[in-house]
Amino acid sequence: MVKACMRELKEYFAGQRQRFDLPLSPEGTSFQQKVWQQLQQIPYGETRSYQQLAEMTGDKNASRVIGLANNCNPILILSPCHRVIGADGSLTGYAAGLAAKNFSLISRRAGQKSEQKKTADTFSRLFLSVYLINDSK
């Protein structure tokens, strides 16, 4: 499973993959599960605001709770919480840091410029190590 995850992350960061084929079953509350399922509906290369994600889950007033659910997402990138932004288009919190969120969003929009391709392997290793650390807890 680790090898498959590493391969898919490398492909994703190199711009060769838009969806993951790995079986995902993150642990969380029923509300968190609902939010994480809605994250899967945000198309590759697009973003949604917390408000829009709240509306997608059926509660237009839940944008703050949506943010909390995103913060608890144990499988960054695979469950694309990096695609959720502030209502004004600004980048907001991300467990791996705003620089990683910015990279994730820009690399999708920019079509993977050569400089970004060089960092694909590094980012796939970074995110895989985060998963392995979280999984060992």
Side-chain angles (χ1 to χ4, degrees), residues 38-110:
Q38 291 303 316
L39 291 173
Q40 299 296 330
Q41 304 308 311
I42 303 172
Y44 176 89
E46 294 185 21
T47 58
R48 298 292 183 271
S49 70
Y50 289 94
Q51 178 66 45
Q52 289 171 312
L53 191 55
E55 292 168 2
M56 289 167 64
T57 62
D59 185 351
K60 65 179 181 173
N61 297 317
S63 57
R64 288 188 182 190
V65 181
I66 296 290
L68 293 173
N70 268 359
N71 188 47
C72 294
N73 178 9
I75 51 175
L76 307 176
I77 301 297
L78 300 177
S79 182
C81 57
H82 62 281
R83 296 179 187 161
V84 183
I85 58 174
D88 63 357
S90 64
L91 296 184
T92 55
Y94 189 58
L98 291 181
K101 185 173 190 171
N102 189 42
F103 172 83
S104 297
L105 293 173
I106 289 174
S107 63
R108 305 290 80 69
R109 292 178 183 156

